[in-house]
Amino acid sequence: MTAVLSEKLKEILDGPVFVDLATIQPDGSPQVSPCGSSATATNC
């Protein structure tokens, strides 16, 4: 199945993406790591 993407959506997907990856440590405390990604690099 092929989908046609709008130019605006292509711009968004090709740009940088930033998320926060959160996990729970064995002692119950949270661990949050900011991550960034783009078409050419990943920093996570």
Side-chain angles (χ1 to χ4, degrees):
M1 183 173 175
T2 303
V4 178
L5 304 178
S6 69
E7 289 302 315
K8 182 65 178 173
L9 182 55
K10 288 179 188 177
E11 288 176 24
I12 293 169
L13 294 175
D14 286 340
V17 176
F18 298 97
V19 298
D20 292 318
L21 178 62
T23 59
I24 303 295
Q25 300 297 321
D27 67 357
S29 64
Q31 169 65 40
V32 181
S33 302
C35 298
S37 180
S38 68
T40 58
T42 300
N43 181 18
C44 205

